[in-house]
Amino acid sequence: MDFFYKFRQFLSGPPAVIVAIVIITTPISKVVERMLPKDLFEIPVTLNDPPPPPPPPKLETQEIKPQPVEQQPMQPADVITKDSVVTEVKPAPPPEPPRQTDVPRAIEVPPVRTGPSVGQIQAGYESIILGYIESIKRYPTSREARSQRPQGKVALLLEIGRDGSLKSVSVSRSSDSIILDNAALATARQGRYPPFPADAYPGQATHRFSVTLEFNVQQEN
């Protein structure tokens, strides 16, 4: 009896009010969930695999046969004649301008170098004769020349054959000293001269040359 009495007093006191407020504010589902065991709400659910989709329907192919085309007979108006053909006359295209091509240069032909002229050949031969006589010239060494010691120029006239042989020699202008004139003649006579060039003095078997020799005391040995 004491238990029920105390329980009744507990329900009529402030704790009972608090418990009532908690019960009112708490959803019934939460209260039930707290009161009942958790395993009661865990129900295993097994999901089966969805069935496979059905195969697509087969399309029946129907062979389409080409239908013959009815050819209509050609009407007289459809016949093409020369009168019905209109030809379009196109103007002739203008001529193309001439293309500028590289004009080949004229080939510059070098001048033909010919050999020396006849005059050049003869002048060269004469200079050879003069140079040769000058190279063999000697001042006279006789006793008279040493005592008189003459000086001057002697002009000689030499006639030489085509083979280089001396045909004749003479004094064309004296030095006024017999000693120098004789020395010039002796010099020309002892010389050995070269033959003429092939193109020199055409048609001549011999040719005369004028040579001037100068003697001075400084040439005395």
Side-chain angles (χ1 to χ4, degrees), residues 130 133-134 137 140 150-158 169-188 209-216:
L130 179 59
I133 294 177
E134 283 285 346
K137 180 187 66 175
Q151 297 186 131
K153 295 180 181 180
V154 181
L156 299 178
L157 187 61
L158 284 72
V169 58
S170 60
V171 176
S172 60
R173 187 175 66 250
S174 175
S175 62
D176 296 334
S177 172
I178 190 63
I179 299 174
L180 298 180
D181 292 348
N182 290 334
L185 292 172
T187 300
F209 301 92
S210 179
V211 179
T212 301
L213 299 179
E214 182 177 2
F215 296 90
N216 51 51

Side-chain angles (χ1 to χ4, degrees), residues 56-77:
K58 294 183 180 180
L59 299 177
E60 295 181 0
T61 58
Q62 185 177 2
E63 185 179 357
I64 300 173
K65 295 182 180 181
Q67 297 180 359
V69 180
E70 296 181 0
Q71 296 182 358
Q72 297 179 359
M74 183 178 293
Q75 300 298 328

